[in-house]
Amino acid sequence: IKKLMSELFGSKVMRISPLSSAVHAESYKIMLDNEMTYVVKTSPHSLDEEAQMLQTLHDKGGLPTPKVYHASSQVLVMEYIHSDWQMNDAAQADAGTKLARLHKTKGDRYGYTSDTHIASILQSNAMTDSWADFFINNRLLHMAELAFRNRKIDQDTMHKIDLLASKAHGIIGQGNRPVLIHGDCWGGNILSDQGEVRAFIDPAIYYADHEMELAFLTLFNTVNQSFFASYQKEIDIKPGFFEERRVLYNIYPLLVHTILFGASYARRVSQAI
């Protein structure tokens, strides 16, 4: 890291401080001798993909993201953005407005031009005309089968997911038009400061029904009514989302967490089913 930062900026690294550690990556705050500060993220793979996704969110969706100074498969150097981690009502409303703007970025089909990672897990993004088909095959069954192969869910749970998949068309209906989503939007990936969202980080982008993003935002209580009031000034949320579809869509991130973190999330998958 010291050698790379010196090559990039011509300055000496004075301090390296850990920011966060995940199952697939580690991040550091880097201070140089010219008092400039950056973030360096390291991972065994896919950080060049992350840089491209950040750029797409910014360029196509108007979302604030950190500026990227260097990207390779294993190292990402980005702008450091301060966050007070206080998602107060003002920050909630700002997040609602900014994500609604992103969700107005239309696509022709559901999916993406390439597969993308969510954490260390590869998402299947084969382009599809039907949202229900995409969710059932590329999200629900794809991740359930991966969890089953890795012995994270049992045969009974897999059978119930197969049954649910057979009924999912009736729950989803036609769905909403394909729009660009962040794909991994929760409190840890939203940098806010003094009531304003400064940046969104760690995306897993694709074109989806915008309800997929909204569902995940409710899973860990990331957003409140201030967010939804702001969001719905821009984009309508159809009846049935909060009561039923939200629970269905959240089985996908719960399966992702089951693969990454194990049994406690497997129980939540069963509850959701």
Short mmCIF file of all heavy atoms in Angstrom, two decimals, residues 61-64 87 89-105 190 195-197 200 213-214 217 223-235:
data_model
loop_
_atom_site.label_atom_id
_atom_site.label_comp_id
_atom_site.label_asym_id
_atom_site.label_seq_id
_atom_site.Cartn_x
_atom_site.Cartn_y
_atom_site.Cartn_z
N GLY A 61 -26.74 7.15 -13.05
CA GLY A 61 -27.81 7.31 -12.07
C GLY A 61 -27.74 8.57 -11.24
O GLY A 61 -28.64 8.82 -10.43
N GLY A 62 -26.68 9.36 -11.41
CA GLY A 62 -26.56 10.60 -10.65
C GLY A 62 -26.34 10.40 -9.16
O GLY A 62 -26.55 11.32 -8.37
N LEU A 63 -25.89 9.23 -8.76
CA LEU A 63 -25.71 8.93 -7.35
C LEU A 63 -24.32 9.40 -6.91
O LEU A 63 -23.34 9.20 -7.63
CB LEU A 63 -25.83 7.42 -7.13
CG LEU A 63 -26.46 6.94 -5.81
CD1 LEU A 63 -27.88 7.44 -5.67
CD2 LEU A 63 -26.42 5.41 -5.74
N PRO A 64 -24.21 10.03 -5.74
CA PRO A 64 -22.88 10.40 -5.25
C PRO A 64 -22.09 9.15 -4.84
O PRO A 64 -22.58 8.32 -4.08
CB PRO A 64 -23.17 11.30 -4.05
CG PRO A 64 -24.53 10.87 -3.56
CD PRO A 64 -25.28 10.44 -4.80
N MET A 87 -28.05 8.50 10.54
CA MET A 87 -29.13 8.55 9.55
C MET A 87 -30.37 9.16 10.19
O MET A 87 -31.38 8.50 10.44
CB MET A 87 -29.40 7.16 9.00
CG MET A 87 -28.37 6.67 7.99
SD MET A 87 -28.37 7.63 6.44
CE MET A 87 -29.90 7.03 5.69
N ASP A 89 -33.55 12.10 10.33
CA ASP A 89 -34.66 12.26 9.38
C ASP A 89 -34.23 13.02 8.13
O ASP A 89 -34.70 12.72 7.02
CB ASP A 89 -35.83 12.97 10.06
CG ASP A 89 -36.61 12.04 10.99
OD1 ASP A 89 -36.42 10.81 10.89
OD2 ASP A 89 -37.38 12.55 11.83
N ALA A 90 -33.34 14.00 8.29
CA ALA A 90 -32.88 14.76 7.12
C ALA A 90 -32.07 13.87 6.18
O ALA A 90 -32.25 13.90 4.95
CB ALA A 90 -32.04 15.95 7.57
N ALA A 91 -31.21 13.04 6.73
CA ALA A 91 -30.42 12.11 5.91
C ALA A 91 -31.31 11.05 5.28
O ALA A 91 -31.09 10.65 4.13
CB ALA A 91 -29.33 11.46 6.76
N GLN A 92 -32.31 10.60 6.03
CA GLN A 92 -33.27 9.63 5.48
C GLN A 92 -34.00 10.21 4.28
O GLN A 92 -34.12 9.56 3.23
CB GLN A 92 -34.29 9.24 6.57
CG GLN A 92 -33.73 8.44 7.71
CD GLN A 92 -33.72 6.94 7.42
OE1 GLN A 92 -34.31 6.48 6.45
NE2 GLN A 92 -33.04 6.18 8.26
N ALA A 93 -34.46 11.45 4.40
CA ALA A 93 -35.17 12.09 3.30
C ALA A 93 -34.25 12.30 2.10
O ALA A 93 -34.65 12.11 0.95
CB ALA A 93 -35.75 13.43 3.76
N ASP A 94 -33.00 12.67 2.38
CA ASP A 94 -32.04 12.87 1.29
C ASP A 94 -31.74 11.56 0.58
O ASP A 94 -31.66 11.51 -0.66
CB ASP A 94 -30.75 13.46 1.87
CG ASP A 94 -29.80 13.94 0.79
OD1 ASP A 94 -30.27 14.52 -0.21
OD2 ASP A 94 -28.58 13.74 0.94
N ALA A 95 -31.61 10.48 1.34
CA ALA A 95 -31.39 9.16 0.73
C ALA A 95 -32.57 8.78 -0.14
O ALA A 95 -32.40 8.22 -1.24
CB ALA A 95 -31.17 8.11 1.81
N GLY A 96 -33.79 9.08 0.30
CA GLY A 96 -34.99 8.77 -0.48
C GLY A 96 -35.00 9.50 -1.81
O GLY A 96 -35.30 8.91 -2.86
N THR A 97 -34.64 10.78 -1.78
CA THR A 97 -34.62 11.57 -3.01
C THR A 97 -33.55 11.06 -3.97
O THR A 97 -33.79 10.92 -5.18
CB THR A 97 -34.35 13.05 -2.68
OG1 THR A 97 -35.41 13.54 -1.85
CG2 THR A 97 -34.26 13.90 -3.94
N LYS A 98 -32.36 10.75 -3.45
CA LYS A 98 -31.25 10.33 -4.30
C LYS A 98 -31.47 8.94 -4.89
O LYS A 98 -31.14 8.69 -6.06
CB LYS A 98 -29.94 10.41 -3.52
CG LYS A 98 -29.46 11.86 -3.37
CD LYS A 98 -28.30 12.03 -2.43
CE LYS A 98 -27.85 13.50 -2.47
NZ LYS A 98 -26.94 13.85 -1.37
N LEU A 99 -32.02 8.04 -4.11
CA LEU A 99 -32.29 6.70 -4.66
C LEU A 99 -33.44 6.73 -5.65
O LEU A 99 -33.44 5.98 -6.63
CB LEU A 99 -32.56 5.71 -3.53
CG LEU A 99 -31.29 5.22 -2.80
CD1 LEU A 99 -31.67 4.37 -1.61
CD2 LEU A 99 -30.38 4.44 -3.74
N ALA A 100 -34.41 7.59 -5.42
CA ALA A 100 -35.50 7.74 -6.40
C ALA A 100 -34.95 8.24 -7.73
O ALA A 100 -35.37 7.78 -8.80
CB ALA A 100 -36.57 8.69 -5.87
N ARG A 101 -33.98 9.15 -7.67
CA ARG A 101 -33.35 9.64 -8.90
C ARG A 101 -32.63 8.50 -9.60
O ARG A 101 -32.72 8.37 -10.83
CB ARG A 101 -32.37 10.77 -8.57
CG ARG A 101 -31.65 11.34 -9.79
CD ARG A 101 -30.88 12.60 -9.46
NE ARG A 101 -29.87 12.37 -8.44
CZ ARG A 101 -29.13 13.34 -7.89
NH1 ARG A 101 -29.33 14.59 -8.25
NH2 ARG A 101 -28.23 13.05 -6.99
N LEU A 102 -31.90 7.68 -8.84
CA LEU A 102 -31.25 6.52 -9.43
C LEU A 102 -32.27 5.61 -10.10
O LEU A 102 -32.04 5.12 -11.21
CB LEU A 102 -30.49 5.74 -8.36
CG LEU A 102 -29.92 4.38 -8.78
CD1 LEU A 102 -28.79 4.55 -9.80
CD2 LEU A 102 -29.42 3.60 -7.56
N HIS A 103 -33.39 5.38 -9.43
CA HIS A 103 -34.40 4.44 -9.90
C HIS A 103 -35.21 4.97 -11.08
O HIS A 103 -36.11 4.29 -11.57
CB HIS A 103 -35.33 4.04 -8.76
CG HIS A 103 -34.63 3.26 -7.68
ND1 HIS A 103 -35.20 3.01 -6.45
CD2 HIS A 103 -33.41 2.66 -7.67
CE1 HIS A 103 -34.36 2.31 -5.71
NE2 HIS A 103 -33.28 2.09 -6.43
N LYS A 104 -34.89 6.16 -11.54
CA LYS A 104 -35.47 6.67 -12.78
C LYS A 104 -34.58 6.39 -13.98
O LYS A 104 -34.90 6.77 -15.11
CB LYS A 104 -35.74 8.17 -12.66
CG LYS A 104 -36.85 8.51 -11.66
CD LYS A 104 -37.06 10.01 -11.55
CE LYS A 104 -38.15 10.33 -10.53
NZ LYS A 104 -38.36 11.80 -10.36
N THR A 105 -33.45 5.71 -13.73
CA THR A 105 -32.53 5.33 -14.81
C THR A 105 -33.00 4.02 -15.41
O THR A 105 -32.82 2.96 -14.85
CB THR A 105 -31.09 5.18 -14.26
OG1 THR A 105 -30.74 6.36 -13.54
CG2 THR A 105 -30.11 4.93 -15.39
N ILE A 190 -24.06 3.44 3.18
CA ILE A 190 -24.54 4.81 2.97
C ILE A 190 -23.75 5.73 3.88
O ILE A 190 -23.81 5.62 5.10
CB ILE A 190 -26.05 4.93 3.27
CG1 ILE A 190 -26.87 3.96 2.42
CG2 ILE A 190 -26.53 6.36 3.03
CD1 ILE A 190 -28.34 3.90 2.80
N GLY A 195 -26.90 15.27 8.14
CA GLY A 195 -28.19 15.25 7.50
C GLY A 195 -28.18 15.14 5.99
O GLY A 195 -29.23 15.28 5.35
N GLU A 196 -27.02 14.87 5.41
CA GLU A 196 -26.92 14.73 3.95
C GLU A 196 -26.16 13.45 3.61
O GLU A 196 -25.16 13.12 4.25
CB GLU A 196 -26.18 15.92 3.35
CG GLU A 196 -26.06 15.86 1.83
CD GLU A 196 -25.32 17.05 1.25
OE1 GLU A 196 -25.05 18.01 2.00
OE2 GLU A 196 -24.98 17.00 0.05
N VAL A 197 -26.65 12.74 2.60
CA VAL A 197 -25.93 11.55 2.14
C VAL A 197 -24.81 12.00 1.22
O VAL A 197 -25.04 12.59 0.17
CB VAL A 197 -26.87 10.57 1.40
CG1 VAL A 197 -26.07 9.40 0.83
CG2 VAL A 197 -27.95 10.06 2.35
N PHE A 200 -22.68 6.72 -1.68
CA PHE A 200 -23.08 5.32 -1.58
C PHE A 200 -21.88 4.49 -2.01
O PHE A 200 -21.20 4.82 -2.99
CB PHE A 200 -24.27 5.03 -2.49
CG PHE A 200 -25.54 5.71 -2.08
CD1 PHE A 200 -25.77 7.05 -2.43
CD2 PHE A 200 -26.51 5.04 -1.36
CE1 PHE A 200 -26.95 7.69 -2.06
CE2 PHE A 200 -27.69 5.67 -0.98
CZ PHE A 200 -27.91 7.00 -1.33
N GLU A 213 -34.75 -3.12 -4.34
CA GLU A 213 -33.89 -2.25 -3.53
C GLU A 213 -34.61 -1.80 -2.26
O GLU A 213 -34.03 -1.82 -1.16
CB GLU A 213 -33.50 -1.01 -4.35
CG GLU A 213 -32.44 -0.14 -3.68
CD GLU A 213 -31.15 -0.18 -4.46
OE1 GLU A 213 -30.38 -1.13 -4.24
OE2 GLU A 213 -30.93 0.75 -5.27
N LEU A 214 -35.85 -1.40 -2.41
CA LEU A 214 -36.61 -0.92 -1.25
C LEU A 214 -36.78 -2.01 -0.21
O LEU A 214 -36.73 -1.74 1.00
CB LEU A 214 -37.98 -0.41 -1.71
CG LEU A 214 -37.99 0.76 -2.71
CD1 LEU A 214 -39.42 1.16 -3.05
CD2 LEU A 214 -37.21 1.95 -2.16
N LEU A 217 -33.67 -2.38 1.89
CA LEU A 217 -33.50 -1.24 2.78
C LEU A 217 -34.31 -1.39 4.08
O LEU A 217 -33.99 -0.78 5.09
CB LEU A 217 -33.91 0.04 2.07
CG LEU A 217 -32.87 0.61 1.09
CD1 LEU A 217 -33.52 1.58 0.13
CD2 LEU A 217 -31.73 1.28 1.85
N VAL A 223 -33.94 2.20 6.82
CA VAL A 223 -34.71 3.40 6.51
C VAL A 223 -36.00 3.46 7.32
O VAL A 223 -36.48 2.45 7.84
CB VAL A 223 -35.04 3.47 5.00
CG1 VAL A 223 -33.76 3.61 4.19
CG2 VAL A 223 -35.84 2.26 4.55
N ASN A 224 -36.53 4.70 7.42
CA ASN A 224 -37.78 4.91 8.17
C ASN A 224 -38.79 5.64 7.29
O ASN A 224 -38.60 5.78 6.08
CB ASN A 224 -37.49 5.67 9.47
CG ASN A 224 -36.89 7.06 9.23
OD1 ASN A 224 -37.04 7.65 8.16
ND2 ASN A 224 -36.21 7.59 10.24
N GLN A 225 -39.83 6.14 7.91
CA GLN A 225 -40.90 6.79 7.15
C GLN A 225 -40.45 8.08 6.46
O GLN A 225 -41.02 8.47 5.44
CB GLN A 225 -42.10 7.06 8.06
CG GLN A 225 -42.90 5.81 8.39
CD GLN A 225 -43.34 5.06 7.13
OE1 GLN A 225 -43.90 5.64 6.20
NE2 GLN A 225 -43.06 3.76 7.10
N SER A 226 -39.42 8.74 7.00
CA SER A 226 -38.90 9.94 6.35
C SER A 226 -38.32 9.58 4.97
O SER A 226 -38.48 10.33 4.00
CB SER A 226 -37.83 10.60 7.21
OG SER A 226 -38.37 11.08 8.41
N PHE A 227 -37.66 8.44 4.90
CA PHE A 227 -37.14 7.96 3.62
C PHE A 227 -38.28 7.71 2.65
O PHE A 227 -38.24 8.19 1.51
CB PHE A 227 -36.33 6.68 3.82
CG PHE A 227 -35.96 5.99 2.53
CD1 PHE A 227 -34.79 6.31 1.88
CD2 PHE A 227 -36.80 5.03 1.96
CE1 PHE A 227 -34.45 5.69 0.67
CE2 PHE A 227 -36.47 4.40 0.76
CZ PHE A 227 -35.28 4.74 0.12
N PHE A 228 -39.28 6.95 3.07
CA PHE A 228 -40.35 6.57 2.15
C PHE A 228 -41.21 7.76 1.75
O PHE A 228 -41.68 7.83 0.61
CB PHE A 228 -41.20 5.45 2.75
CG PHE A 228 -40.55 4.10 2.65
CD1 PHE A 228 -40.02 3.48 3.77
CD2 PHE A 228 -40.42 3.46 1.43
CE1 PHE A 228 -39.40 2.25 3.68
CE2 PHE A 228 -39.80 2.22 1.32
CZ PHE A 228 -39.29 1.62 2.45
N ALA A 229 -41.41 8.72 2.65
CA ALA A 229 -42.18 9.91 2.30
C ALA A 229 -41.46 10.69 1.20
O ALA A 229 -42.08 11.17 0.24
CB ALA A 229 -42.37 10.80 3.53
N SER A 230 -40.13 10.79 1.31
CA SER A 230 -39.33 11.48 0.30
C SER A 230 -39.32 10.71 -1.01
O SER A 230 -39.50 11.28 -2.10
CB SER A 230 -37.91 11.68 0.82
OG SER A 230 -37.08 12.24 -0.15
N TYR A 231 -39.15 9.39 -0.91
CA TYR A 231 -39.08 8.55 -2.10
C TYR A 231 -40.39 8.60 -2.89
O TYR A 231 -40.38 8.72 -4.12
CB TYR A 231 -38.76 7.12 -1.69
CG TYR A 231 -38.51 6.17 -2.85
CD1 TYR A 231 -37.23 5.98 -3.36
CD2 TYR A 231 -39.56 5.46 -3.44
CE1 TYR A 231 -36.99 5.13 -4.43
CE2 TYR A 231 -39.32 4.60 -4.51
CZ TYR A 231 -38.04 4.45 -5.00
OH TYR A 231 -37.81 3.60 -6.05
N GLN A 232 -41.51 8.54 -2.17
CA GLN A 232 -42.80 8.46 -2.85
C GLN A 232 -43.25 9.79 -3.45
O GLN A 232 -44.22 9.84 -4.19
CB GLN A 232 -43.86 7.91 -1.89
CG GLN A 232 -43.65 6.43 -1.62
CD GLN A 232 -44.76 5.81 -0.77
OE1 GLN A 232 -45.73 5.25 -1.30
NE2 GLN A 232 -44.61 5.90 0.54
N LYS A 233 -42.55 10.87 -3.15
CA LYS A 233 -42.79 12.12 -3.87
C LYS A 233 -42.31 12.00 -5.32
O LYS A 233 -42.76 12.72 -6.20
CB LYS A 233 -42.06 13.28 -3.18
CG LYS A 233 -42.67 13.70 -1.86
CD LYS A 233 -41.87 14.83 -1.23
CE LYS A 233 -42.45 15.23 0.12
NZ LYS A 233 -41.62 16.30 0.77
N GLU A 234 -41.37 11.06 -5.55
CA GLU A 234 -40.77 10.88 -6.87
C GLU A 234 -41.29 9.64 -7.59
O GLU A 234 -41.52 9.67 -8.80
CB GLU A 234 -39.25 10.77 -6.73
CG GLU A 234 -38.59 11.94 -6.01
CD GLU A 234 -38.62 13.23 -6.81
OE1 GLU A 234 -38.67 13.14 -8.05
OE2 GLU A 234 -38.62 14.30 -6.19
N ILE A 235 -41.45 8.54 -6.85
CA ILE A 235 -41.84 7.25 -7.44
C ILE A 235 -42.90 6.59 -6.57
O ILE A 235 -42.71 6.44 -5.35
CB ILE A 235 -40.62 6.31 -7.58
CG1 ILE A 235 -39.57 6.91 -8.52
CG2 ILE A 235 -41.05 4.93 -8.11
CD1 ILE A 235 -38.31 6.08 -8.65
#
